[in-house]
Amino acid sequence: MARAVFHPRSAYAPSAGYRLLPLRFGRLDEHAYIVTNDVGEYVRLARDELVAFLERRLDSDTSVYKALKSRHFLYENDSSVAFDLLALKYRSRAERVAAFTGLHIFVVTLRCDHSCQYCQVSRQSEDSTAFDMTVEHADKALDLVFRSPNEHIKIELQGGEPLLNFPLVCHIVERARKLNEDHRRDLQFVITSNLSRLSDDVLSFCKEHGVYLSTSLDGPADLHDGQRPTRGGGSHRKTVEGIHRVREVLGLDRISALMTTTPRSLSRVDEIIDEYVRLGFHGIFLRSLSPYGFAARSLVKRYGVEDWLDFYKRGLSHILRINAGGYFLREEFTTILLQKMFSPLGSGYVDLQSPAGVGIGALVYNYDGAVYASDEGRMLAEMGDQTFRLGHLDEHSYEELLTSEALLAPLGETILEGMPMCADCPFLPYCGADPVFHRATQGDAVGHKAFSAFCTKQMGVLRHVIGLLETDAEARDILLRWV
Amino acid sequence: MLVKLSARGLRALSETSRAPFVARITETPALPEAARSKLLLLLSGEASDFPPGFRGYLLRQAARPLAPKDTYLLGADHTYLRDGDVVRIDPVRGTVSALYRANSRSNTFLVTERCDNFCVMCSQPPKDHDDGWLVDDIERAIPLISPDATEIGITGGEPALLGERLVRLLVLLREHLPRTGVHVLSNGRRFSDAGFARAVGDVRHPDLMIGIPLYSDLAEEHDYVVQAKGAFDETVRGILNLKRRRVRVELRFVIHRETVERMPEFARFVAKNLTFLDHVALMGLEHVGFARTNLEALWIDPVDYQRPLREAVLTLDRAGMATSIYNHQLCVLDPTLHRFARKSISDWKNVYVEVCQTCRRKEECGGFFTSSAVKRSRGISPYG
């Protein structure tokens, strides 16, 4: 064999100069800037690196140059495959919009046996059946559910306390499964319940039909019971008993819990998290209050978004410690953002989509037959603002509801790429639009982001999480496991 | 067992065919005469008589005279041959080449030695000459192989340089061996031609995987390793085109000094851009061919790259990608990586070394290439 001749690295070096691919940039913290692109890639860099990069004089031998090239922020004349890959990634992330409505919420009753301070849906007393959904409305709503082209359909049975109208819950689940014999979708059910009415009948029904349960758990007993009063008390005890029974009868993964942060929770984040660990949960969603329903009047004004951010950061560091100790526990809101950063498909979380998830991500069939574009839209309506009411099951067809101005207007306005301030924001690919929040707080679906608590919360959390990812190797290792 | 897949030492005991020929070996002398004409009868004991009508006869022991045409005495390197093997006999040179071995899981067809890459660590350095006869033989061999064969590899050189002929080969495999998995090793560049990728997809082979190497997230790094400007773009586009045609694709990354530095970034790039790939293999260096020529420049002790390897594997695993580590001994790998390690070295070039004799995990371990006696990790030590 003739002696093989190999060429040095320099023979394959790109010709000098580079061009920018579409990107956004902004300040990350006092030390660094961040650039992001439409497919969710990011690079953290120093100010002088950013300036050199944008002025097209960044040295190609630097590691930041290589990172920017690898993540498709720049390209050279020698290679153009970045365009193919960017297009592919963008299409993957946008596919969800075409999939259309996946979440269908049935408000089977407004009745409830709890009187929570932060209730968002204006509870009614337990015996007022005037606030129950009728079978006729449920059937009409089910017909609409299967009009959605989405392969994955999730039906959420909500209230009030949906188990107070258990016969209708049974009817909806059974009829949906019957209809699905023809439609053949991936069909899932979840009952959102405080578990006070969890009977053997309910459990065996859930077992038979593969129904999941979701409940509220605000933390240790005194905190939980303080903000979730019920006649005779003992909400926490009943919830915990319920969780154990569900796991015994249906299996460990069949129940999840959600917490709501109130002013009284703020100083107790570690205890709240420990309560979830004590009960064997591997996920906790640190949720801030929404400015709707009773909460808007009684609670929201008593803490600001900065208080919640502080609560969140302390909570997250406690959760990271728990993970470092060998117990897997993920914070669900952080996980949603991490999915937007690292998963090719992003996240399907309805409240952080662009355009907003209203209608095309979720539809709400209210107890009275009204159809809303989101759960929060229904809450807003209970406060007298009908902006997100798409129509009524008795009066409007699927086509009329889904092409109503009440839906098309907010969809058109909430494409982040066209929203004032969002359009230039580096956190855009990890964010979403919340038209109901801005309507509730500022009077229109878009709002002014400088005065938006939603925006402050998003930026605060994202800066914190990206900061951890980039400067704390141990935290990064744990966080990436949550995706 | 080590096997010399093509070895001289064949001795003719009678008049021979002049041209090389391909045939399947049988050890059943009583086969109906009508079934004999394409088979070579392998006789192990003392051949007392020769059942007539076979294509030829292979003897393990010297025979009495009066052997029929194409009777050969096998040499010392031919003892591995057995019933069901498909061989190429070259009477003039006295060689037997095993094209297919019935009792091996790793049967590979070398379809060409030509290649448009010139990788610095190539284990099978390309030769630029017309070697179409290689495929001629393989096309003859395929109909002779048992349909129970589990997997057949197609390698080069660059098999895709065969163009339309590769497509025909895949059709032939699908028709004759529909239950046999086919694994093609290609640099992927030719599939940047969407029409060619479509043609491969249109074969609708029920169990086809194309293994394609990618060595960096940066074009110039990959191009340097494969010594071909523009190769990165073509390879990535080839991968995308194949996946668009629903052809399964495996990514292969060889770890050495020129690729190790960006391994974590490479994994991040793959997890982000090529998540839909069917498998990713991170492979240790085989010390043959150019890898041996360039060993001083390429060698890095696996012990010294466990951190980046671990980071890369975890990145791919977290993205939900099927990930394997090939060609590494368990004792040099970070323990958290053991579940990704595969026994990947083909049986005919797989060995263990002296210290392995006492190792209690030898059975789980992939061992060494025969060629790796040249350089060995300082981390090699038996599990007690």
Side-chain angles (χ1 to χ4, degrees):
Chain A
M1 184 175 65
R3 205 180 144 73
V5 177
F6 296 97
H7 303 288
R9 241 191 182 75
S10 57
Y12 302 93
S15 49
Y18 62 89
R19 296 163 87 168
L20 304 185
L21 288 162
L23 60 91
R24 296 180 179 83
F25 62 88
R27 194 184 263 281
L28 182 62
D29 51 42
E30 59 268 39
H31 310 293
Y33 283 73
I34 184 172
V35 290
T36 67
N37 62 15
D38 282 330
V39 300
E41 305 257 22
Y42 75 81
V43 175
R44 176 181 181 270
L45 66 190
R47 186 188 163 85
D48 55 344
E49 290 170 330
L50 175 68
V51 172
F53 165 53
L54 296 176
E55 290 178 349
R56 291 170 190 70
R57 53 177 177 78
L58 188 63
D59 183 349
S60 62
D61 283 340
T62 56
S63 63
V64 67
Y65 183 97
K66 288 174 182 167
L68 288 163
K69 184 176 167 183
S70 172
R71 296 166 198 211
H72 300 146
F73 289 94
L74 65 84
Y75 71 103
E76 295 144 342
N77 283 333
D78 307 67
S79 174
S80 60
V81 81
F83 293 95
D84 304 55
L85 294 171
L86 275 171
L88 197 62
K89 283 186 279 189
Y90 194 82
R91 203 174 58 205
S92 300
R93 282 172 80 93
E95 245 166 26
R96 199 182 309 282
V97 180
F100 230 61
T101 321
L103 177 62
H104 298 264
I105 298 172
F106 284 66
V107 181
V108 296
T109 181
L110 270 198
R111 290 184 288 142
C112 189
D113 53 358
H114 277 57
S115 43
C116 308
Q117 308 167 302
Y118 51 69
C119 182
Q120 299 160 348
V121 286
S122 312
R123 69 213 161 246
Q124 303 296 329
S125 64
E126 288 172 55
D127 46 8
S128 43
T129 51
F131 296 97
D132 284 2
M133 179 183 262
T134 63
V135 173
E136 292 70 36
H137 283 153
D139 287 350
K140 286 182 180 177
L142 280 170
D143 289 339
L144 296 190
V145 167
F146 287 101
R147 292 295 304 278
S148 165
N150 202 314
E151 281 302 309
H152 310 279
I153 298 279
K154 187 182 199 172
I155 292 180
E156 184 175 319
L157 300 143
Q158 249 206 40
E161 169 49 50
L163 294 185
L164 288 173
N165 193 4
F166 186 54
L168 189 70
V169 168
C170 297
H171 173 80
I172 291 169
V173 170
E174 283 165 358
R175 185 169 159 77
R177 293 193 66 188
K178 179 90 189 130
L179 291 170
N180 199 39
E181 286 172 11
D182 290 332
H183 291 283
R184 299 184 168 278
R185 311 291 178 81
D186 165 28
L187 184 60
Q188 222 188 71
F189 301 95
V190 58
I191 300 176
T192 302
S193 166
N194 60 40
L195 304 184
S196 65
R197 303 295 167 118
L198 189 74
S199 62
D200 290 341
D201 283 350
V202 171
L203 283 168
S204 63
F205 180 83
C206 291
K207 188 173 178 120
E208 184 188 344
H209 297 283
V211 177
Y212 287 78
L213 285 142
S214 169
T215 193
S216 295
L217 180 72
D218 282 352
D222 67 301
L223 181 66
H224 179 99
D225 288 341
Q227 50 203 38
R228 297 183 61 80
T230 181
R231 204 175 335 145
S235 169
H236 182 269
R237 184 178 49 78
K238 283 186 197 160
T239 303
V240 170
E241 279 172 12
I243 289 168
H244 289 315
R245 288 187 65 202
V246 171
R247 286 181 177 158
E248 245 169 64
V249 180
L250 302 180
L252 280 180
D253 66 326
R254 284 302 188 80
I255 183 146
S256 59
L258 283 174
M259 61 77 63
T260 301
T261 312
T262 69
R264 275 191 286 181
S265 322
L266 288 175
S267 63
R268 304 183 62 181
V269 68
D270 289 9
E271 288 173 74
I272 295 168
I273 292 162
D274 291 345
E275 181 73 0
Y276 272 70
V277 174
R278 193 177 67 78
L279 290 173
F281 284 107
H282 292 281
I284 182 169
F285 199 140
L286 298 176
R287 284 199 309 170
S288 56
L289 272 178
S290 309
Y292 319 110
F294 293 163
R297 274 164 269 162
S298 59
L299 293 173
V300 166
K301 294 194 178 69
R302 285 170 47 199
Y303 76 77
V305 62
E306 298 296 346
D307 297 321
W308 182 85
L309 275 171
D310 180 57
F311 168 85
Y312 166 82
K313 289 176 191 171
R314 283 185 282 115
L316 188 61
S317 85
H318 189 57
I319 291 169
L320 290 171
R321 276 197 301 279
I322 287 168
N323 280 279
Y327 183 89
F328 182 89
L329 177 69
R330 68 181 198 184
E331 200 285 307
E332 303 291 355
F333 186 63
T334 313
T335 302
I336 290 161
L337 301 176
L338 291 167
Q339 282 166 345
K340 283 176 169 278
M341 288 178 206
F342 298 108
S343 164
L345 299 179
S347 160
Y349 183 62
V350 174
D351 294 341
L352 279 183
Q353 299 297 320
S354 167
V358 288
I360 59 174
L363 279 170
V364 179
Y365 312 101
N366 207 7
Y367 72 95
D368 59 358
V371 181
Y372 291 94
S374 81
D375 205 18
E376 290 74 17
R378 151 178 85 116
M379 296 165 188
L380 201 62
E382 293 290 338
M383 297 164 71
D385 183 339
Q386 298 286 338
T387 307
F388 297 95
R389 186 181 189 274
L390 305 183
H392 194 279
L393 291 167
D394 291 333
E395 296 157 31
H396 301 103
S397 67
Y398 179 74
E399 287 76 7
E400 287 167 331
L401 292 166
L402 272 293
T403 58
S404 61
E405 198 50 28
L407 179 58
L408 296 186
L411 285 179
E413 288 169 2
T414 57
I415 297 166
L416 293 182
E417 286 78 357
M419 282 169 70
M421 298 183 78
C422 295
D424 303 320
C425 175
F427 301 112
L428 178 146
Y430 314 133
C431 202
D434 193 338
V436 188
F437 180 96
H438 290 101
R439 170 75 195 176
T441 54
Q442 297 191 18
D444 74 81
V446 176
H448 192 314
K449 300 306 177 207
F451 307 108
S452 162
F454 170 87
C455 180
T456 309
K457 174 186 166 187
Q458 289 298 112
M459 293 241 214
V461 172
L462 282 163
R463 287 195 159 106
H464 184 64
V465 172
I466 294 172
L468 285 174
L469 286 167
E470 293 300 302
T471 59
D472 182 341
E474 198 193 352
R476 180 185 175 88
D477 204 41
I478 292 165
L479 290 171
L480 291 179
R481 270 183 252 156
W482 296 356
V483 179
Chain B
M1 181 181 69
L2 289 180
V3 172
K4 219 171 160 188
L5 290 179
S6 178
R8 285 174 181 265
L10 196 66
R11 190 152 62 83
L13 300 178
S14 61
E15 181 199 347
T16 69
S17 301
R18 251 176 291 164
F21 61 93
V22 174
R24 181 168 80 225
I25 291 174
T26 179
E27 294 187 80
T28 312
L31 274 178
E33 286 204 40
R36 294 178 182 176
S37 67
K38 291 179 175 169
L39 298 171
L40 277 165
L41 181 63
L42 174 60
L43 293 165
S44 293
E46 264 189 60
S48 50
D49 63 291
F50 293 92
F54 284 96
R55 175 69 183 81
Y57 302 83
L58 300 175
L59 309 184
R60 294 200 195 274
Q61 300 178 19
R64 49 198 76 179
L66 294 178
K69 189 183 174 200
D70 279 315
T71 298
Y72 303 89
L73 180 63
L74 294 171
D77 288 328
H78 303 142
T79 51
Y80 67 88
L81 292 172
R82 50 152 280 182
D83 192 275
D85 289 356
V86 178
V87 293
R88 178 181 196 268
I89 304 281
D90 188 333
V92 176
R93 299 180 64 213
T95 56
V96 182
S97 308
L99 295 172
Y100 172 80
R101 286 187 305 132
N103 73 341
S104 171
R105 290 188 55 84
S106 35
N107 277 288
T108 299
F109 293 147
L110 176 83
V111 296
T112 179
E113 293 189 286
R114 292 177 295 133
C115 189
D116 47 355
N117 279 355
F118 201 76
C119 304
V120 294
M121 71 304 182
C122 183
S123 59
Q124 184 104 33
K127 292 178 192 144
D128 191 13
H129 59 94
D130 180 6
D131 52 12
W133 60 272
L134 286 168
V135 191
D136 298 341
D137 279 353
I138 291 159
E139 284 170 350
R140 284 184 202 113
I142 288 170
L144 304 177
I145 293 170
S146 160
D148 296 329
T150 48
E151 187 181 76
I152 282 180
I154 291 182
T155 185
E158 171 49 44
L161 291 182
L162 298 179
E164 186 55 33
R165 204 157 178 206
L166 176 66
V167 177
R168 288 211 303 275
L169 199 61
L170 294 173
V171 171
L172 200 64
L173 285 161
R174 187 200 65 203
E175 285 173 351
H176 287 278
L177 306 168
R179 298 196 300 277
T180 305
V182 174
H183 191 279
V184 180
L185 277 178
S186 164
N187 64 35
R189 293 174 63 185
R190 281 296 169 105
F191 301 110
S192 60
D193 171 357
F196 185 42
R198 175 198 290 249
V200 168
D202 285 348
V203 173
R204 302 252 179 280
H205 192 287
D207 188 3
L208 170 68
M209 173 90 95
I210 304 199
I212 297 179
L214 194 68
Y215 298 126
S216 181
D217 56 323
L218 300 178
E220 67 273 22
E221 293 288 320
H222 175 85
D223 288 358
Y224 163 64
V225 173
V226 306
Q227 295 276 301
K229 190 123 177 149
F232 178 84
D233 278 27
E234 288 184 359
T235 294
V236 172
R237 287 203 178 97
I239 290 168
L240 300 183
N241 284 339
L242 286 169
K243 287 307 298 178
R244 281 188 189 108
R245 293 293 155 194
R246 310 235 177 272
V247 178
R248 289 159 69 228
V249 175
E250 166 192 78
L251 210 61
R252 298 168 78 92
F253 180 94
V254 181
I255 308 165
H256 52 72
R257 192 169 286 287
E258 301 285 20
T259 59
V260 73
E261 196 184 325
R262 290 198 71 79
M263 186 158 50
E265 273 295 309
F266 168 80
R268 201 206 58 80
F269 173 86
V270 171
K272 188 80 184 176
N273 293 278
L274 304 172
T275 329
F276 44 81
L277 289 178
D278 301 275
H279 184 219
V280 181
L282 301 167
M283 308 176 20
L285 194 62
E286 185 179 357
H287 303 165
V288 296
F290 291 156
R292 179 171 295 205
T293 316
N294 295 328
L295 198 57
E296 284 311 313
L298 297 178
W299 167 257
I300 171 169
D301 191 321
V303 169
D304 297 324
Y305 60 65
Q306 290 306 301
R307 258 178 78 110
L309 177 62
R310 182 171 182 275
E311 197 182 332
V313 169
L314 294 185
T315 298
L316 296 166
D317 186 49
R318 278 193 296 252
M321 302 187 74
T323 306
S324 300
I325 299 172
Y326 284 176
N327 310 347
H328 285 75
Q329 303 76 38
L330 289 178
C331 52
V332 305
L333 286 177
D334 184 305
T336 59
L337 296 179
H338 283 188
R339 67 189 175 99
F340 298 98
R342 310 280 174 259
K343 293 174 74 167
S344 51
I345 300 175
S346 305
D347 58 355
W348 59 273
K349 51 182 177 181
N350 189 194
V351 290
Y352 295 85
V353 297
E354 313 80 60
V355 291
C356 301
Q357 299 316 317
T358 63
C359 179
R360 93 186 134 75
R361 301 188 66 184
K362 188 179 161 196
E363 286 308 308
E364 313 160 50
C365 180
F368 297 84
F369 287 108
T370 40
S371 59
S372 59
V374 193
K375 281 249 190 216
R376 203 166 282 165
S377 170
R378 64 181 189 277
I380 299 296
S381 78
Y383 287 93

